[in-house]
Amino acid sequence: MVTERHMGRMKLIIPGAPVSQKRARIFQAGKRTVAWDPSSKEKENIRNIICSQMNGEFFAKSGPLFDAGSDITVFFRFYMPIPKSWPKSKIKRFKEIPHLVKYDIDNMIKAILDAMNDLIYKDDSCVTCLSACKEYSDSPRTEIDVHLTQKDQS
């Protein structure tokens, strides 16, 4: 759901466990070399969630939410599921335990940045600043805050 939206700023929440960008696979098919993105299904799911939260508004203005050439900042917060193998004593203090296992935070960022191409912005190359963190939660989800970068006036 879009929890907040106003001029030049948007906050999205993608429910469920965060996904990671997988490495592209390249193989030979006869005399041809074929590249395949194993993350394409996950990216399409993310795009569908973003579309449903935007209520199709970006299509109405026939293009991405932010104009080409926009200077964009993105903040990610990944809430990872608590492992089922943890004992109850560890589950009670999950907020104190850093998430240091799979997935790599950079691969989770890449999957979402790619999925937002042509929806939120034309291309993820316009993202000039980003920040991310991951932590355990009993409610797995990804929160994304996208806004135009504020420039110092000094």
Side-chain angles (χ1 to χ4, degrees):
M1 73 162 79
V2 175
T3 57
E4 174 185 330
R5 179 148 184 245
H6 44 81
M7 291 298 289
R9 180 178 215 102
M10 175 182 24
K11 185 171 183 178
L12 297 163
I13 298 174
I14 300 173
V19 296
S20 179
Q21 172 82 20
K22 296 175 182 87
R23 296 208 185 279
R25 304 287 182 227
I26 299 173
F27 59 93
Q28 290 293 122
K31 294 182 180 182
R32 293 184 5 213
T33 301
V34 179
W36 176 65
D37 180 5
S39 298
S40 60
K41 194 175 284 188
E42 288 91 349
K43 286 186 210 174
E44 190 60 33
N45 289 340
I46 293 169
R47 289 176 66 82
N48 289 337
I49 291 168
I50 292 170
C51 287
S52 68
Q53 290 184 26
M54 296 293 298
N55 296 324
E57 292 175 36
F58 53 88
F59 290 122
K61 70 175 251 193
S62 68
L65 183 66
F66 293 103
D67 296 327
S70 296
D71 187 0
I72 297 174
T73 297
V74 184
F75 294 102
F76 294 95
R77 186 168 288 252
F78 298 101
Y79 294 95
M80 307 302 288
I82 298 168
K84 294 180 181 180
S85 61
W86 278 12
K88 287 183 183 180
S89 61
K90 195 171 184 179
I91 291 173
K92 288 180 184 176
R93 55 186 189 84
F94 72 86
K95 291 186 180 189
E96 303 165 8
I97 302 170
H99 189 278
L100 303 174
V101 295
K102 283 186 176 180
Y103 296 106
D104 291 351
I105 199 166
D106 58 324
N107 291 331
M108 293 188 296
I109 291 169
K110 185 64 179 155
I112 294 174
L113 287 177
D114 286 351
M116 293 193 307
N117 281 342
D118 294 320
L119 296 178
I120 306 299
Y121 39 71
K122 180 66 180 158
D123 186 75
D124 57 3
S125 63
C126 66
V127 176
T128 57
C129 182
L130 65 86
S131 178
C133 63
K134 62 178 182 170
E135 60 189 70
Y136 288 109
S137 173
D138 49 5
S139 175
R141 66 194 181 281
T142 301
E143 294 182 1
I144 309 161
D145 186 15
V146 183
H147 59 88
L148 294 172
T149 302
Q150 300 296 316
K151 298 289 185 188
D152 273 342
Q153 302 298 320
S154 50

